[in-house]
Each structure stands twice: as C-alpha cells, then as structure tokens.
Coordinates of all heavy atoms in Angstrom, one line a residue:
D24 N -22.3 7.2 8.6 CA -21.8 6.7 9.9 C -21.5 5.2 9.8 O -21.0 4.7 10.7 CB -22.8 7.0 11.0 CG -22.8 8.5 11.3 OD1 -21.9 9.3 10.9 OD2 -23.8 8.9 11.9
C25 N -21.9 4.6 8.7 CA -21.7 3.1 8.6 C -20.5 2.7 7.9 O -20.2 1.6 7.7 CB -22.9 2.5 7.9 SG -24.5 2.7 8.7
F26 N -19.7 3.7 7.4 CA -18.5 3.5 6.6 C -17.3 3.5 7.4 O -17.1 4.4 8.2 CB -18.4 4.5 5.4 CG -19.4 4.3 4.3 CD1 -20.7 4.8 4.4 CD2 -19.1 3.5 3.3 CE1 -21.6 4.6 3.4 CE2 -20.0 3.2 2.2 CZ -21.3 3.8 2.3
Y27 N -16.4 2.5 7.1 CA -15.1 2.4 7.8 C -14.0 2.3 6.7 O -14.2 1.7 5.7 CB -15.1 1.2 8.7 CG -16.0 1.4 9.9 CD1 -17.4 1.3 9.7 CD2 -15.5 1.8 11.1 CE1 -18.3 1.5 10.8 CE2 -16.4 2.0 12.2 CZ -17.8 1.9 12.0 OH -18.6 2.1 13.0
E28 N -12.9 2.9 7.0 CA -11.9 3.1 5.9 C -10.6 2.2 6.2 O -10.0 2.3 7.2 CB -11.4 4.5 5.8 CG -10.4 4.8 4.7 CD -10.0 6.3 4.7 OE1 -10.0 6.9 5.7 OE2 -9.7 6.7 3.6
G29 N -10.3 1.4 5.1 CA -9.1 0.7 5.1 C -8.1 1.4 4.1 O -8.5 2.4 3.5
K30 N -7.0 0.9 3.9 CA -6.0 1.5 3.0 C -6.5 1.5 1.6 O -6.3 2.5 0.9 CB -4.7 0.7 3.1 CG -3.6 1.2 2.3 CD -2.3 0.4 2.5 CE -1.2 0.9 1.6 NZ 0.0 0.1 1.7
N31 N -7.2 0.4 1.1 CA -7.6 0.4 -0.3 C -9.0 -0.1 -0.4 O -9.4 -0.7 -1.4 CB -6.6 -0.4 -1.1 CG -6.6 -1.9 -0.7 OD1 -7.1 -2.3 0.3 ND2 -5.9 -2.6 -1.5
F32 N -9.8 0.1 0.6 CA -11.2 -0.5 0.6 C -12.0 0.2 1.7 O -11.5 0.6 2.7 CB -11.0 -2.0 1.0 CG -12.3 -2.8 1.0 CD1 -12.8 -3.4 -0.1 CD2 -12.9 -3.1 2.2 CE1 -13.9 -4.2 -0.1 CE2 -14.0 -4.0 2.2 CZ -14.5 -4.5 1.1
L33 N -13.3 0.4 1.4 CA -14.2 0.9 2.4 C -15.1 -0.3 2.8 O -15.5 -1.1 2.0 CB -15.1 2.0 1.8 CG -14.5 3.3 1.5 CD1 -15.5 4.3 1.0 CD2 -13.8 3.9 2.7
A34 N -15.4 -0.4 4.1 CA -16.3 -1.4 4.6 C -17.5 -0.7 5.2 O -17.5 0.4 5.7 CB -15.6 -2.2 5.7
I35 N -18.6 -1.4 5.0 CA -19.9 -0.9 5.6 C -20.2 -1.8 6.8 O -20.2 -3.0 6.6 CB -21.0 -1.0 4.5 CG1 -20.7 -0.1 3.4 CG2 -22.4 -0.6 5.2 CD1 -21.7 -0.2 2.2
H36 N -20.5 -1.2 7.9 CA -20.9 -2.0 9.1 C -22.3 -2.6 8.9 O -23.3 -1.9 8.8 CB -20.9 -1.1 10.3 CG -20.9 -1.8 11.6 ND1 -21.8 -2.7 12.0 CD2 -20.0 -1.7 12.6 CE1 -21.5 -3.2 13.1 NE2 -20.4 -2.6 13.6
P37 N -22.3 -3.9 8.7 CA -23.6 -4.5 8.4 C -24.7 -4.4 9.5 O -25.9 -4.5 9.2 CB -23.2 -6.0 8.1 CG -21.9 -6.2 8.8 CD -21.3 -4.9 8.8
E38 N -24.3 -4.3 10.7 CA -25.2 -4.1 11.8 C -25.8 -2.7 11.9 O -26.9 -2.5 12.3 CB -24.5 -4.5 13.2 CG -24.0 -5.9 13.3 CD -25.2 -6.9 13.3 OE1 -26.1 -6.6 14.0 OE2 -25.0 -7.9 12.7
D39 N -25.0 -1.7 11.5 CA -25.4 -0.3 11.6 C -26.2 0.2 10.4 O -26.9 1.1 10.5 CB -24.2 0.6 11.9 CG -23.6 0.4 13.3 OD1 -24.3 -0.3 14.1 OD2 -22.5 0.9 13.5
C40 N -25.9 -0.4 9.3 CA -26.5 0.0 8.0 C -28.0 -0.3 8.1 O -28.4 -1.4 8.5 CB -25.9 -0.8 6.8 SG -26.7 -0.4 5.3
I41 N -28.8 0.6 7.7 CA -30.3 0.4 7.7 C -30.9 0.2 6.3 O -32.1 0.2 6.2 CB -31.0 1.6 8.4 CG1 -30.7 2.9 7.7 CG2 -30.6 1.7 9.9 CD1 -31.6 4.1 8.1
D42 N -30.0 -0.1 5.4 CA -30.5 -0.4 4.0 C -31.4 0.7 3.4 O -32.4 0.4 2.8 CB -31.2 -1.7 3.9 CG -30.2 -2.9 3.9 OD1 -29.0 -2.7 3.5 OD2 -30.5 -4.0 4.4
C43 N -31.0 2.0 3.7 CA -31.9 3.1 3.2 C -31.6 3.3 1.7 O -32.4 4.0 1.0 CB -31.6 4.3 4.0 SG -30.0 5.1 3.8
G44 N -30.4 2.9 1.2 CA -30.1 3.1 -0.2 C -29.5 4.4 -0.6 O -29.1 4.7 -1.7
A45 N -29.3 5.3 0.4 CA -28.8 6.7 0.1 C -27.4 6.7 -0.4 O -27.0 7.6 -1.2 CB -28.9 7.5 1.4
C46 N -26.6 5.7 0.0 CA -25.2 5.7 -0.4 C -25.0 5.0 -1.8 O -24.0 5.3 -2.4 CB -24.3 5.0 0.6 SG -24.8 3.3 1.0
E47 N -25.9 4.3 -2.2 CA -25.8 3.5 -3.5 C -25.4 4.4 -4.7 O -24.5 4.1 -5.4 CB -27.0 2.7 -3.8 CG -27.2 1.5 -2.8 CD -28.4 0.8 -3.1 OE1 -28.7 0.5 -4.3 OE2 -29.1 0.4 -2.1
P48 N -26.2 5.5 -4.9 CA -25.8 6.3 -6.1 C -24.5 7.1 -6.0 O -24.0 7.6 -6.9 CB -27.0 7.2 -6.3 CG -27.7 7.2 -5.0 CD -27.4 5.9 -4.3
E49 N -24.0 7.2 -4.7 CA -22.8 7.9 -4.5 C -21.5 7.1 -4.7 O -20.4 7.6 -4.8 CB -22.7 8.5 -3.1 CG -23.8 9.4 -2.7 CD -23.8 10.7 -3.6 OE1 -22.7 11.2 -3.9 OE2 -24.9 11.2 -4.0
C50 N -21.7 5.8 -4.8 CA -20.5 4.9 -5.0 C -20.1 4.8 -6.4 O -20.8 4.4 -7.3 CB -20.9 3.5 -4.5 SG -19.6 2.3 -4.7
P51 N -18.9 5.3 -6.7 CA -18.4 5.4 -8.1 C -18.2 4.0 -8.7 O -18.2 3.8 -9.9 CB -17.1 6.1 -8.0 CG -16.6 6.0 -6.6 CD -17.9 5.9 -5.8
A52 N -18.0 3.0 -7.8 CA -17.8 1.6 -8.3 C -19.1 0.8 -8.5 O -19.1 -0.3 -8.9 CB -16.8 0.9 -7.4
E53 N -20.2 1.4 -8.0 CA -21.5 0.8 -8.1 C -21.4 -0.6 -7.3 O -21.9 -1.6 -7.8 CB -22.0 0.6 -9.5 CG -22.2 1.9 -10.2 CD -22.5 1.8 -11.7 OE1 -22.6 0.7 -12.2 OE2 -22.7 2.8 -12.3
A54 N -20.7 -0.5 -6.2 CA -20.5 -1.8 -5.4 C -21.3 -1.9 -4.1 O -21.1 -2.7 -3.3 CB -19.0 -1.8 -5.0
I55 N -22.3 -1.0 -4.0 CA -23.1 -1.0 -2.8 C -24.5 -1.5 -3.1 O -25.1 -1.0 -4.1 CB -23.2 0.4 -2.1 CG1 -21.8 0.8 -1.7 CG2 -24.1 0.3 -0.9 CD1 -21.8 2.3 -1.2
F56 N -25.0 -2.5 -2.4 CA -26.3 -3.1 -2.6 C -27.1 -3.2 -1.3 O -26.5 -3.4 -0.2 CB -26.2 -4.5 -3.2 CG -25.5 -4.5 -4.5 CD1 -24.1 -4.6 -4.6 CD2 -26.2 -4.5 -5.7 CE1 -23.4 -4.7 -5.8 CE2 -25.5 -4.6 -6.9 CZ -24.2 -4.7 -6.9
E57 N -28.4 -3.1 -1.4 CA -29.2 -3.4 -0.2 C -29.0 -4.9 0.1 O -28.8 -5.7 -0.8 CB -30.6 -3.0 -0.4 CG -30.9 -1.5 -0.5 CD -32.3 -1.2 -0.6 OE1 -33.2 -1.8 0.1 OE2 -32.6 -0.2 -1.3
E58 N -29.1 -5.3 1.3 CA -28.8 -6.6 1.7 C -29.6 -7.7 0.9 O -29.0 -8.7 0.5 CB -29.1 -6.8 3.2 CG -28.6 -8.2 3.7 CD -28.7 -8.3 5.2 OE1 -29.3 -7.4 5.9 OE2 -28.2 -9.3 5.7
D59 N -30.9 -7.4 0.7 CA -31.7 -8.4 0.0 C -31.4 -8.4 -1.5 O -31.9 -9.3 -2.3 CB -33.1 -8.3 0.3 CG -33.7 -6.9 -0.1 OD1 -32.9 -6.0 -0.3 OD2 -34.9 -6.8 -0.1
E60 N -30.6 -7.5 -2.0 CA -30.3 -7.4 -3.5 C -28.8 -7.7 -3.7 O -28.4 -7.6 -4.9 CB -30.7 -6.0 -4.0 CG -32.2 -5.8 -4.0 CD -32.5 -4.4 -4.5 OE1 -31.7 -3.8 -5.2 OE2 -33.7 -4.0 -4.4
L61 N -28.1 -8.1 -2.7 CA -26.7 -8.4 -2.8 C -26.4 -9.6 -3.7 O -27.0 -10.7 -3.4 CB -26.0 -8.6 -1.4 CG -24.5 -8.8 -1.4 CD1 -23.8 -7.6 -1.9 CD2 -24.1 -9.1 0.0
P62 N -25.7 -9.5 -4.8 CA -25.4 -10.7 -5.6 C -24.7 -11.8 -4.8 O -23.9 -11.5 -4.0 CB -24.5 -10.1 -6.7 CG -24.8 -8.7 -6.8 CD -25.1 -8.3 -5.4
A63 N -25.1 -13.0 -5.1 CA -24.5 -14.2 -4.4 C -23.0 -14.2 -4.4 O -22.4 -14.5 -3.4 CB -25.1 -15.4 -4.9
K64 N -22.4 -13.7 -5.5 CA -20.9 -13.8 -5.6 C -20.2 -12.8 -4.7 O -19.0 -12.9 -4.4 CB -20.5 -13.5 -7.1 CG -20.8 -12.1 -7.5 CD -20.3 -11.9 -9.0 CE -20.6 -10.5 -9.5 NZ -20.1 -10.4 -10.9
W65 N -21.0 -11.9 -4.0 CA -20.4 -10.9 -3.1 C -20.9 -11.1 -1.7 O -20.7 -10.3 -0.8 CB -20.6 -9.5 -3.6 CG -19.9 -9.2 -4.8 CD1 -18.6 -9.7 -5.2 CD2 -20.3 -8.4 -5.9 NE1 -18.2 -9.2 -6.4 CE2 -19.2 -8.4 -6.9 CE3 -21.4 -7.6 -6.1 CZ2 -19.3 -7.6 -8.0 CZ3 -21.5 -6.9 -7.3 CH2 -20.5 -6.9 -8.3
K66 N -21.7 -12.2 -1.4 CA -22.2 -12.4 -0.1 C -21.1 -12.5 1.0 O -21.4 -12.1 2.1 CB -23.1 -13.6 0.0 CG -24.4 -13.5 -0.8 CD -25.5 -13.1 0.0 CE -26.8 -13.2 -0.9 NZ -27.8 -12.3 -0.4
H67 N -20.0 -13.0 0.6 CA -18.9 -13.2 1.6 C -18.4 -11.8 2.2 O -17.8 -11.8 3.2 CB -17.7 -14.0 1.1 CG -17.0 -13.3 0.0 ND1 -17.4 -13.2 -1.3 CD2 -15.8 -12.7 0.0 CE1 -16.6 -12.6 -2.1 NE2 -15.5 -12.3 -1.3
Y68 N -18.7 -10.7 1.4 CA -18.2 -9.4 1.9 C -19.0 -9.0 3.1 O -18.5 -8.1 3.9 CB -18.4 -8.4 0.8 CG -17.2 -8.4 -0.2 CD1 -17.4 -9.1 -1.4 CD2 -16.0 -7.9 0.1 CE1 -16.3 -9.1 -2.3 CE2 -14.9 -8.0 -0.8 CZ -15.1 -8.6 -2.0 OH -14.1 -8.7 -2.9
T69 N -20.2 -9.5 3.4 CA -20.9 -9.1 4.6 C -20.2 -9.5 5.8 O -20.0 -8.7 6.7 CB -22.3 -9.7 4.6 OG1 -23.0 -9.3 3.4 CG2 -23.1 -9.3 5.8
E70 N -19.7 -10.7 5.9 CA -18.9 -11.2 7.0 C -17.5 -10.5 7.1 O -17.1 -10.1 8.1 CB -18.7 -12.7 7.0 CG -18.0 -13.2 8.2 CD -17.8 -14.7 8.2 OE1 -18.5 -15.4 7.4 OE2 -17.0 -15.2 9.0
L71 N -16.9 -10.3 5.9 CA -15.6 -9.6 5.8 C -15.8 -8.2 6.4 O -15.0 -7.7 7.2 CB -15.1 -9.6 4.4 CG -13.8 -8.8 4.2 CD1 -12.7 -9.5 4.9 CD2 -13.5 -8.7 2.7
N72 N -16.8 -7.5 5.9 CA -17.0 -6.1 6.4 C -17.2 -6.1 7.9 O -16.7 -5.2 8.6 CB -18.3 -5.5 5.7 CG -18.0 -5.0 4.3 OD1 -16.8 -5.0 3.9 ND2 -19.0 -4.6 3.6
A73 N -18.0 -7.0 8.4 CA -18.3 -7.1 9.9 C -17.0 -7.2 10.7 O -16.9 -6.7 11.8 CB -19.2 -8.2 10.2
N74 N -16.0 -7.9 10.1 CA -14.7 -8.1 10.8 C -13.8 -6.9 10.7 O -13.2 -6.5 11.6 CB -14.0 -9.3 10.3 CG -14.7 -10.6 10.7 OD1 -15.2 -10.7 11.8 ND2 -14.7 -11.6 9.9
L75 N -13.8 -6.3 9.5 CA -12.9 -5.2 9.2 C -13.3 -3.9 10.0 O -12.5 -3.2 10.5 CB -12.9 -4.8 7.7 CG -12.2 -5.9 6.8 CD1 -12.4 -5.6 5.4 CD2 -10.8 -6.1 7.2
V76 N -14.6 -3.7 10.2 CA -15.1 -2.5 10.9 C -14.6 -2.5 12.3 O -14.6 -1.4 13.0 CB -16.6 -2.2 10.7 CG1 -17.0 -2.1 9.3 CG2 -17.4 -3.3 11.4
K77 N -14.3 -3.6 12.9 CA -13.8 -3.7 14.3 C -12.5 -3.0 14.5 O -12.2 -2.5 15.5 CB -13.8 -5.1 14.7 CG -15.1 -5.8 14.8 CD -14.9 -7.3 15.1 CE -16.3 -8.0 15.1 NZ -16.1 -9.4 15.2
A78 N -11.7 -3.0 13.4 CA -10.3 -2.4 13.5 C -10.1 -1.1 12.7 O -9.1 -0.5 12.9 CB -9.3 -3.5 13.0
W79 N -11.0 -0.8 11.8 CA -10.8 0.4 11.0 C -11.5 1.6 11.5 O -12.6 1.5 12.2 CB -11.3 0.1 9.6 CG -10.5 -0.9 8.8 CD1 -9.3 -1.5 9.2 CD2 -10.7 -1.3 7.4 NE1 -8.8 -2.3 8.2 CE2 -9.7 -2.2 7.1 CE3 -11.7 -1.1 6.5 CZ2 -9.6 -2.8 5.8 CZ3 -11.7 -1.7 5.3 CH2 -10.6 -2.5 5.0
P80 N -11.0 2.8 11.2 CA -11.7 4.0 11.7 C -12.9 4.3 10.8 O -13.0 4.1 9.7 CB -10.6 5.1 11.5 CG -9.7 4.6 10.3 CD -9.8 3.1 10.5
N81 N -13.9 4.9 11.5 CA -15.1 5.4 10.9 C -14.9 6.6 10.1 O -14.0 7.4 10.4 CB -16.1 5.7 12.0 CG -17.5 6.1 11.5 OD1 -17.9 7.2 11.7 ND2 -18.2 5.2 10.9
I82 N -15.6 6.7 9.0 CA -15.5 8.0 8.2 C -16.9 8.5 8.1 O -17.9 7.8 7.9 CB -14.9 7.8 6.8 CG1 -15.6 6.8 5.9 CG2 -13.4 7.3 6.9 CD1 -15.2 6.8 4.5
T83 N -17.0 9.9 8.1 CA -18.3 10.5 8.0 C -18.4 11.6 6.9 O -19.4 12.2 6.8 CB -18.6 11.2 9.4 OG1 -17.6 12.1 9.7 CG2 -18.8 10.1 10.4
S84 N -17.3 11.7 6.1 CA -17.3 12.6 5.0 C -16.9 11.9 3.7 O -16.2 10.9 3.7 CB -16.4 13.8 5.3 OG -15.0 13.3 5.4
K85 N -17.5 12.4 2.6 CA -17.2 11.8 1.3 C -15.8 12.0 0.9 O -15.2 13.1 1.1 CB -18.2 12.4 0.3 CG -18.1 11.8 -1.1 CD -19.1 12.3 -2.0 CE -18.9 11.7 -3.4 NZ -20.0 12.1 -4.3
R86 N -15.2 11.0 0.4 CA -13.8 11.0 -0.1 C -13.8 10.9 -1.6 O -14.7 10.4 -2.2 CB -13.0 9.9 0.5 CG -13.0 9.8 2.0 CD -12.0 10.9 2.5 NE -12.1 11.0 3.9 CZ -11.4 10.3 4.8 NH1 -10.6 9.4 4.4 NH2 -11.6 10.5 6.1
K87 N -12.7 11.4 -2.2 CA -12.5 11.2 -3.6 C -12.1 9.7 -3.8 O -11.5 9.0 -3.0 CB -11.3 12.0 -4.1 CG -11.6 13.5 -4.1 CD -10.4 14.3 -4.7 CE -10.7 15.7 -4.6 NZ -9.6 16.5 -5.2
P88 N -12.5 9.2 -5.0 CA -12.2 7.8 -5.3 C -10.7 7.6 -5.4 O -9.9 8.5 -5.6 CB -12.8 7.5 -6.7 CG -13.8 8.6 -6.8 CD -13.3 9.8 -6.0
L89 N -10.2 6.4 -5.1 CA -8.8 6.1 -5.2 C -8.4 6.4 -6.7 O -9.2 6.2 -7.6 CB -8.5 4.6 -4.9 CG -8.7 4.3 -3.4 CD1 -8.6 2.8 -3.2 CD2 -7.8 5.0 -2.5
P90 N -7.1 6.8 -6.9 CA -6.7 7.1 -8.3 C -6.9 6.1 -9.3 O -7.2 6.4 -10.5 CB -5.2 7.4 -8.1 CG -5.0 7.6 -6.6 CD -6.1 6.9 -5.9
D91 N -6.8 4.8 -8.9 CA -7.0 3.7 -9.9 C -8.4 3.1 -9.8 O -8.7 2.0 -10.4 CB -6.0 2.6 -9.7 CG -5.9 2.1 -8.3 OD1 -6.7 2.6 -7.4 OD2 -5.1 1.1 -8.0
A92 N -9.4 3.8 -9.2 CA -10.7 3.2 -9.0 C -11.4 2.9 -10.3 O -12.0 1.8 -10.5 CB -11.6 4.2 -8.2
E93 N -11.3 3.8 -11.3 CA -12.0 3.6 -12.5 C -11.5 2.4 -13.3 O -12.3 1.5 -13.8 CB -12.0 4.8 -13.4 CG -12.9 4.8 -14.6 CD -14.4 4.6 -14.3 OE1 -14.8 5.2 -13.2 OE2 -15.1 3.9 -15.0
E94 N -10.2 2.2 -13.4 CA -9.6 1.1 -14.1 C -9.8 -0.2 -13.4 O -9.8 -1.3 -14.0 CB -8.1 1.3 -14.4 CG -7.2 1.3 -13.2 CD -5.8 1.7 -13.5 OE1 -5.6 2.8 -14.0 OE2 -4.9 0.9 -13.1
N95 N -10.0 -0.2 -12.0 CA -10.2 -1.4 -11.3 C -11.7 -1.8 -11.1 O -12.0 -2.8 -10.6 CB -9.5 -1.3 -9.9 CG -8.0 -1.4 -10.0 OD1 -7.5 -2.3 -10.7 ND2 -7.3 -0.6 -9.3
K96 N -12.5 -0.9 -11.5 CA -14.0 -1.0 -11.2 C -14.5 -2.4 -11.7 O -15.2 -3.1 -11.0 CB -14.7 0.1 -11.9 CG -16.2 0.2 -11.6 CD -16.6 1.6 -12.2 CE -18.0 1.6 -12.5 NZ -18.5 2.9 -13.0
A97 N -14.2 -2.7 -12.9 CA -14.8 -4.0 -13.5 C -13.9 -5.2 -13.4 O -14.3 -6.3 -13.7 CB -15.1 -3.7 -15.0
R98 N -12.7 -5.0 -12.9 CA -11.7 -6.1 -12.7 C -12.2 -7.0 -11.7 O -12.6 -6.6 -10.6 CB -10.3 -5.5 -12.4 CG -9.2 -6.4 -12.6 CD -7.9 -5.7 -12.6 NE -7.6 -5.0 -11.4 CZ -7.1 -5.6 -10.3 NH1 -6.7 -6.8 -10.3 NH2 -6.8 -4.8 -9.3
T99 N -12.0 -8.3 -11.9 CA -12.4 -9.3 -10.9 C -11.2 -10.0 -10.3 O -10.1 -9.7 -10.7 CB -13.3 -10.5 -11.6 OG1 -12.5 -11.1 -12.6 CG2 -14.5 -9.9 -12.2
G100 N -11.4 -10.8 -9.2 CA -10.3 -11.4 -8.6 C -9.4 -10.6 -7.7 O -8.2 -10.8 -7.6
K101 N -10.0 -9.5 -7.2 CA -9.2 -8.5 -6.4 C -9.1 -8.8 -4.9 O -8.4 -8.1 -4.2 CB -9.7 -7.1 -6.6 CG -9.8 -6.7 -8.0 CD -10.4 -5.3 -8.1 CE -11.8 -5.4 -8.1 NZ -12.5 -4.1 -8.4
D102 N -9.8 -9.9 -4.4 CA -9.8 -10.1 -3.0 C -8.4 -10.2 -2.4 O -8.2 -9.8 -1.3 CB -10.6 -11.4 -2.7 CG -12.1 -11.3 -2.9 OD1 -12.5 -10.2 -3.4 OD2 -12.8 -12.2 -2.6
A103 N -7.5 -10.9 -3.1 CA -6.1 -11.0 -2.5 C -5.4 -9.7 -2.4 O -4.4 -9.6 -1.6 CB -5.3 -12.0 -3.4
E104 N -5.8 -8.7 -3.1 CA -5.2 -7.3 -3.0 C -5.8 -6.5 -1.9 O -5.2 -5.4 -1.6 CB -5.4 -6.6 -4.3 CG -4.8 -7.4 -5.5 CD -5.1 -6.8 -6.8 OE1 -5.4 -5.6 -6.9 OE2 -5.2 -7.5 -7.8
L105 N -6.8 -6.9 -1.2 CA -7.4 -6.1 -0.2 C -6.5 -6.1 1.0 O -6.1 -7.1 1.6 CB -8.8 -6.8 0.2 CG -9.6 -6.0 1.2 CD1 -11.1 -6.2 0.9 CD2 -9.3 -6.3 2.6
S106 N -6.1 -4.8 1.4 CA -5.2 -4.6 2.6 C -6.1 -4.6 3.8 O -7.1 -4.0 3.9 CB -4.5 -3.3 2.4 OG -3.8 -3.0 3.6
Q107 N -5.6 -5.3 4.8 CA -6.3 -5.3 6.2 C -5.9 -4.0 7.0 O -6.4 -3.8 8.0 CB -5.9 -6.5 6.9 CG -6.2 -7.8 6.3 CD -7.7 -8.2 6.4 OE1 -8.3 -8.0 7.5 NE2 -8.3 -8.8 5.4
E108 N -4.9 -3.3 6.4 CA -4.4 -2.1 7.1 C -5.5 -1.0 7.1 O -6.2 -0.7 6.2 CB -3.2 -1.6 6.3 CG -2.3 -0.7 7.0 CD -1.1 -0.4 6.2 OE1 -0.5 -1.3 5.6 OE2 -0.7 0.8 6.1
P109 N -5.7 -0.3 8.3 CA -6.7 0.7 8.4 C -6.3 1.9 7.6 O -5.1 2.2 7.3 CB -6.7 1.0 9.9 CG -5.4 0.5 10.5 CD -5.0 -0.6 9.6
G110 N -7.3 2.7 7.3 CA -7.1 4.0 6.6 C -7.0 5.1 7.6 O -6.8 4.8 8.8
Q111 N -7.1 6.3 7.2 CA -6.9 7.5 8.1 C -8.2 7.9 8.9 O -8.1 8.5 9.9 CB -6.4 8.7 7.3 CG -7.3 9.2 6.2 CD -6.7 10.2 5.4 OE1 -5.5 10.6 5.6 NE2 -7.4 10.7 4.4
G112 N -9.4 7.5 8.4 CA -10.6 7.8 9.1 C -10.9 9.3 9.0 O -10.3 10.1 8.3
G113 N -12.0 9.7 9.7 CA -12.3 11.1 9.7 C -13.5 11.5 9.0 O -14.2 10.9 8.3

C-alpha cells in the first residue's frame, strides 16, 4: 500500500512505509532500503518520493519489471530520465 506508480519509476510513500523490510527482497533492482540503511547518495529520493506520491496512483499488486530494468539496474546518472508522469496504478 506504500507504492505509487510513475511512467518509469516506483515511489514509496515515506510517511506510510513502516520499514518492515518485506518489499526489499521483491525489488529486482535491489533499490529498496530501510530508512536507517539508505545510502547517503540516495537520500534525496526520500523527499522526491514524498512529492511524487501526491500525484501518482497507488499500486497494490506486484508488477513485472520494466523491459529494460536489468540493463539499467547498475547504470548511474539516471535522475534526468525520471518521468514525472503518473503510471496506471491499480
């Protein structure tokens, strides 16, 4: 219930997430961390997520990874490619 869908990004609502860790092993990109274990280089995503969830639809079912997820997993410098456009939700 804490996940919100954008066109090419999922955001976690930082206020609703209880840091239970249940979603961490499900993330194919290994990009989910408990708040106190979040690497410093990704701290800015907490505020970004808080803003994006205001406009994006909530998702409650697991989705398949994006087609290019595996090749983009380790690539850096992708912030400029993040679309602010909402996803389909559901």
Side-chain angles (χ1 to χ4, degrees):
D24 291 341
C25 298
F26 286 88
Y27 292 77
E28 183 179 31
K30 183 178 177 181
N31 64 352
F32 183 80
L33 290 181
I35 299 173
H36 196 303
E38 299 290 318
D39 292 346
C40 176
I41 60 170
D42 282 332
C43 69
C46 59
E47 290 176 45
E49 298 300 321
C50 179
E53 299 174 0
I55 301 174
F56 299 87
E57 291 186 36
E58 187 173 9
D59 60 346
E60 295 180 12
L61 183 64
K64 66 181 180 179
W65 292 325
K66 293 265 187 203
H67 69 282
Y68 280 102
T69 303
E70 184 177 346
L71 177 64
N72 283 353
N74 291 324
L75 294 172
V76 300
K77 294 174 186 174
W79 287 0
N81 183 244
I82 62 170
T83 56
S84 59
K85 185 175 179 176
R86 302 286 173 85
K87 290 182 180 180
L89 293 172
D91 57 357
E93 191 59 36
E94 67 188 58
N95 285 316
K96 185 172 157 177
R98 196 166 58 86
T99 60
K101 301 179 281 190
D102 287 7
E104 299 170 28
L105 188 145
S106 172
Q107 300 281 322
E108 203 174 311
Q111 60 187 2

